[in-house]
Amino acid sequence: MTDTLLSESLASARKRLARALYAAERPAAAARLLAVSKTKPAAMIRAAWALGQREFGESYVQEALEKQAELRDLNGIIWHFIGPLQSNKSRAVAERFDWVHSVDRDKLARRLNEQRPTELPPLNVCLQVNVSGEASKSGVDFEALPALAETILALPRLRLRGLMAIPAPAATLEAQRAPLARLHQALEALRARFPEAELDTLSMGMSDDLEAAILEGATLVRLGTAIFGAREP
Ligand SMILES: *Cc1c(COP(=O)(O)O)cnc(C)c1O
């Protein structure tokens, strides 16, 4: 993708988000764009950064580390880890990322807490919730969510910020909205239960369901294809 194309697709992604927020009668700053750069070269991240994009999402540890090394000069870049995370790769995420969206179990949380360097601020964490039942293997079930949240709130090197989900694809806006509404309800329930926690993040909405996610209260939408174009399989 050329820099001109990227500039156009980023501008239209921003417009699309702004329009969706307006349609949902939410403030323009109520949600922000996370640019999902997995499989895309460091040069594309640099180009998006030059256009004002600051938050980037990566799904593969090794690939992300290589790109981060190339982009060390980009001040203020914010790295989000959004992919499935094996416990044996947690150290790199604890040391190199600002956020992780895919925490779904105690053991992983405890490792990230132990491995987060003390000279860095606490690692921002979203719990990945399995909103689609059988259709997904990753994510904590709704029923187990309060206990996992309680564990994480007690870990000093982690900062629990909210919930994340990857719903199964759905054909209609209404079908897209249902699991996202449940995720929002689950966040409200956690807020009621843990009023002292800073639960301000609903990470949901991708290139195909951004409008549904914004209607259901998303605060961080994760766009890959809509910004950087299709990925190689
Ligand atoms: C790849 C990915 C995205 C981006 O998906 P697009 O459909 O390309 O917008 C968002 N979230 C997660 C967790 C992903 O792995």
Side-chain angles (χ1 to χ4, degrees):
M1 185 185 258
T2 64
D3 286 4
T4 311
L5 268 181
L6 176 65
S7 152
E8 286 169 7
S9 61
L10 186 57
S12 55
R14 286 170 175 159
K15 252 184 235 149
R16 188 178 160 195
L17 175 59
R19 249 186 249 126
L21 284 163
Y22 184 78
E25 301 182 10
R26 298 178 59 202
R32 53 193 207 277
L33 270 190
L34 174 57
V36 176
S37 45
K38 65 183 184 210
T39 80
K40 300 296 180 180
M44 252 191 212
I45 298 176
R46 187 178 290 282
W49 190 87
L51 295 163
Q53 179 64 33
R54 289 295 175 270
E55 297 185 83
F56 294 88
E58 290 284 337
S59 297
Y60 309 105
V61 173
Q62 193 52 41
E63 178 200 331
L65 294 180
E66 286 166 22
K67 288 190 265 185
Q68 288 173 341
E70 273 184 65
L71 298 169
R72 228 170 297 174
D73 59 309
L74 300 185
N75 280 325
I77 194 165
I78 300 170
W79 292 104
H80 295 246
F81 190 82
I82 62 173
L85 183 54
Q86 294 167 266
S87 294
N88 63 7
K89 297 203 175 140
S90 61
R91 182 176 295 280
V93 171
E95 291 179 351
R96 303 285 175 203
F97 282 80
D98 303 289
W99 286 73
V100 52
H101 293 222
S102 45
V103 173
D104 61 0
R105 54 199 193 278
D106 270 42
K107 181 186 168 196
L108 176 61
R110 291 181 201 285
R111 285 178 68 97
L112 289 166
N113 180 65
E114 279 162 23
Q115 294 166 341
R116 180 66 168 175
T118 49
E119 67 273 17
L120 294 179
L123 181 62
N124 295 294
V125 168
C126 290
L127 301 182
Q128 184 174 349
V129 181
N130 179 2
V131 294
S132 301
E134 296 290 284
S136 168
K137 289 174 296 281
S138 8
V140 57
D141 292 335
F142 281 109
E143 296 68 36
L145 190 51
L148 183 57
E150 189 162 22
T151 299
I152 290 175
L153 287 167
L155 298 173
R157 305 299 300 138
L158 304 184
R159 188 165 157 212
L160 184 60
R161 298 295 295 272
L163 303 178
M164 178 274 230
I166 311 174
T172 66
L173 183 69
E174 288 315 305
Q176 287 179 340
R177 288 181 68 168
L180 303 170
R182 280 194 79 193
L183 191 73
H184 192 171
Q185 285 165 12
L187 183 68
E188 293 303 335
L190 289 183
R191 282 190 179 133
R193 187 160 174 161
F194 305 109
E196 74 292 352
E198 200 181 349
L199 298 167
D200 57 4
T201 302
L202 262 183
S203 166
M204 60 189 198
M206 312 189 357
S207 295
D208 289 331
D209 63 354
L210 176 140
E211 284 74 18
I214 289 299
L215 284 168
E216 296 301 345
T219 66
L220 191 55
V221 295
R222 309 182 307 265
L223 293 191
T225 311
I227 295 175
F228 295 113
R231 290 178 294 274
E232 303 280 328

